[in-house]
């Protein structure tokens, strides 16, 4: 655990220190986000935050490669190298978009190339659920490769879609990575697996780069992560998700709820990443029904709805953090419980309570603003 903590701290520290450098470079080359009708920020803001996060990723994995315990991950598995190569490709694609604003098809093609490289280098689903029993089936490359590429591209775009408020994507990704690490590490402890695993390492370094970037990106943001950052953390999240769910035969493993033992590992990342997945799904349905491209931008994402309800960008972001943590860590806790139903009901209850609180706070602020606009009565 101490070596994982060290990797997390190094990734966070390097990202934090590299972010001002990325901001200076963005201002120098003109990679700046202007103010558009759908945007929330009120003034032009530099992008290229992904470069700082990439530096943190390299530093974290480099340190892990030199530690006595975690160095075995690189020796025994190809995932760290695959992630570094693919992360570099997708970050460079994002840099080009941050500077020149590429069209959606070009970005999609680049995402598929980066995903294919990572999958071909070893980050891919190896097992699937056998629905007739509590066992898993081995997947051949003709099935594993396209499914894995699709999963990566979906996750990349899900993270890209929620990057609309200061600190939102970085915070949600950090929470998701923390919950993924909790699940992967606890599963190894309970089942006697080797505790140095690609899933736990990738989750720890992902959490580190997001936490290191967050102080510069929280409202009011001094630097946006841009597509170079949102696509990068989407790819990192996908890599740890695939590693923890698709590369271990979970049939009959110990610990999680016995009700659906082989389904729980697949449900956990979906719960952890529910916020970006839900936002992506709603956006695709909404835009398709309107006869528009699924990638056409609008101002109707979940974070925009929360902003309308809460009347405050910080409040909306904190609520999304609360939701992500509640669903993610609550889902992990339920998976390791012999009675998961009460935990799941508690998650639902707390989620609804949080939404009510946000709504009440927003209404109170709206009434205060209305009273201030009317002004004091005279006579």
């Amino acid at each position: 655990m101490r070596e994982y903590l060290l990797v997390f701290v190094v990734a966070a520290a390097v990202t934090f220190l590299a972010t001002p450098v990325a901001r200076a470079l963005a201002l120098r080359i003109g990679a700046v986000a202007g103010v558009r009708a759908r945007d929330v920020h009120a003034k032009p803001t530099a992008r290229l935050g992904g470069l700082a996060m990439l530096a943190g990723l390299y530093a974290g994995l480099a340190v892990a490669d030199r530690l006595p315990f975690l160095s075995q991950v690189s020796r025994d598995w190809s995932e760290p190298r695959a992630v570094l190569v693919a992360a570099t490709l997708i970050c460079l694609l994002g840099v080009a978009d941050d500077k020149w604003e590429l069209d959606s098809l070009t970005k999609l093609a680049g995402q598929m190339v980066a995903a294919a490289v990572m999958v071909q280098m070893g980050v891919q689903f190896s097992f699937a659920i056998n629905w007739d029993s509590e066992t898993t089936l081995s997947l051949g490359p003709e099935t594993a490769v396209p499914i894995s590429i699709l999963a990566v591209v979906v996750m990349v775009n899900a993270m890209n879609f929620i990057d609309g408020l200061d600190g939102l994507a970085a915070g949600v990704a950090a929470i998701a990575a923390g919950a993924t690490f909790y699940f992967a590490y606890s599963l190894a402890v309970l089942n006697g697996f080797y505790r140095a695993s690609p899933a736990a390492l990738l989750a720890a370094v992902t959490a580190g780069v997001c936490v290191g970037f967050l102080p510069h990106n929280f409202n009011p943001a001094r630097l946006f992560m841009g597509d170079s950052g949102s696509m990068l953390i989407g790819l990192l999240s996908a890599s740890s998700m695939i590693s923890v769910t698709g590369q271990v035969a979970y049939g009959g493993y110990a610990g999680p709820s016995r009700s659906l033992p082989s389904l729980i590992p697949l449900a956990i990342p979906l719960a952890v990443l529910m916020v970006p997945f839900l936002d992506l799904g709603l956006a695709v349905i909404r835009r398709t029904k309107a006869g528009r491209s699924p990638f056409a931008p609008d101002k109707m994402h979940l974070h925009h709805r929360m902003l309308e309800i809460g009347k405050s960008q910080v409040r909306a972001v904190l609520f999304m953090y609360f939701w992500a943590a509640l669903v993610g860590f609550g889902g992990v806790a339920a998976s390791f419980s012999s009675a998961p139903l009460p935990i799941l009901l508690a998650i639902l209850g707390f989620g609804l309570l949080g939404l009510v609180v946000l709504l009440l706070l927003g209404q109170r602020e709206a009434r205060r603003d209305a009273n201030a606009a009317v002004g004091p009565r005279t006579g």
Side-chain angles (χ1 to χ4, degrees):
M1 179 65 79
R2 287 178 295 180
E3 291 191 6
Y4 283 120
L5 181 60
L6 178 60
V7 168
F8 169 84
V9 171
V10 169
V14 171
T15 302
F16 178 80
L17 295 174
T19 299
V21 179
R23 182 177 184 273
L25 176 62
L27 292 173
R28 183 167 184 173
I29 67 173
V32 177
V35 181
R36 300 165 297 186
R38 71 176 190 271
D39 292 328
V40 176
H41 61 281
K43 61 180 181 180
T45 306
R47 293 190 278 206
L48 293 187
L51 289 177
M53 303 171 90
L54 184 65
L57 172 66
Y58 268 86
L61 291 181
V63 168
D65 204 34
R66 287 161 176 77
L67 296 175
F69 177 64
L70 288 180
S71 61
Q72 297 189 39
V73 175
S74 294
R75 289 200 299 268
D76 297 340
W77 288 282
S78 61
E79 280 93 330
R81 290 185 295 276
V83 168
L84 279 178
V85 174
T88 302
L89 291 175
I90 207 161
C91 185
L92 292 176
L93 173 68
V95 168
D97 184 67
D98 290 344
K99 169 61 178 173
W100 293 292
E101 296 192 1
L102 306 176
D103 63 90
S104 57
L105 289 180
T106 300
K107 283 198 295 183
L108 180 61
Q111 292 165 4
M112 294 181 68
V113 169
V117 168
M118 187 171 76
V119 168
Q120 291 291 351
M121 291 183 68
V123 181
Q124 60 182 261
F125 291 105
S126 300
F127 298 95
I129 298 298
N130 183 353
W131 299 97
D132 297 328
S133 66
E134 294 184 356
T135 60
T136 48
L137 300 173
S138 178
L139 294 177
E142 68 283 353
T143 304
V145 170
I147 291 177
S148 302
I149 292 175
L150 177 63
V152 174
V153 172
V154 168
M155 190 68 251
V156 165
N157 284 284
M159 281 298 178
N160 192 20
F161 277 24
I162 68 166
D163 184 28
L165 298 179
D166 293 350
L168 178 58
V172 169
I175 292 167
T180 302
F181 175 84
Y182 172 33
F183 178 75
Y185 191 83
S186 298
L187 195 66
V189 171
L190 286 175
N191 289 273
F193 299 158
Y194 194 64
R195 299 182 188 182
S197 68
L201 175 59
L202 293 171
V205 76
T206 301
V209 299
C210 291
V211 169
F213 182 70
L214 202 52
H216 299 278
N217 187 236
F218 201 75
N219 185 261
R222 294 185 294 275
L223 178 71
F224 292 158
M225 66 171 61
D227 277 19
S228 60
S230 62
M231 293 195 299
L232 173 62
I233 61 175
L235 182 136
L236 294 177
S237 299
S239 66
S240 58
M241 178 190 72
I242 291 173
S243 187
V244 77
T245 60
Q247 298 193 317
V248 177
Y250 282 102
Y253 69 90
S257 167
R258 313 309 299 174
S259 58
L260 291 172
S262 57
L263 295 179
I264 290 295
L266 293 177
I268 291 304
L270 294 178
V272 169
L273 300 168
M274 180 60 71
V275 172
F277 276 138
L278 181 60
D279 191 38
L280 174 64
L282 291 175
V284 170
I285 293 172
R286 180 176 65 247
R287 294 165 185 173
T288 303
K289 287 181 65 176
R292 302 167 61 205
S293 166
F295 300 99
D298 60 29
K299 203 172 183 179
M300 298 180 66
H301 288 287
L302 284 178
H303 51 268
H304 291 126
R305 306 287 181 87
M306 294 300 103
L307 183 59
E308 291 176 2
I309 294 173
K311 308 300 181 183
S312 163
Q313 185 171 169
V314 172
R315 192 179 297 150
V317 168
L318 291 178
F319 175 75
M320 298 289 275
Y321 287 177
F322 167 74
W323 189 7
L326 182 68
V327 174
F329 284 95
V332 174
S335 75
F336 286 100
S337 171
S338 58
L341 184 59
I343 298 178
L344 296 176
L345 291 175
I347 293 171
L348 178 61
F350 279 114
L352 293 175
L353 178 62
L355 184 59
V356 170
V357 170
L358 181 69
L359 180 60
L360 291 176
L361 290 173
Q363 289 178 341
R364 187 180 68 177
E365 186 166 325
R367 286 195 299 269
R368 186 169 60 244
D369 292 343
N371 292 334
V374 171
R377 293 184 178 180
T378 59

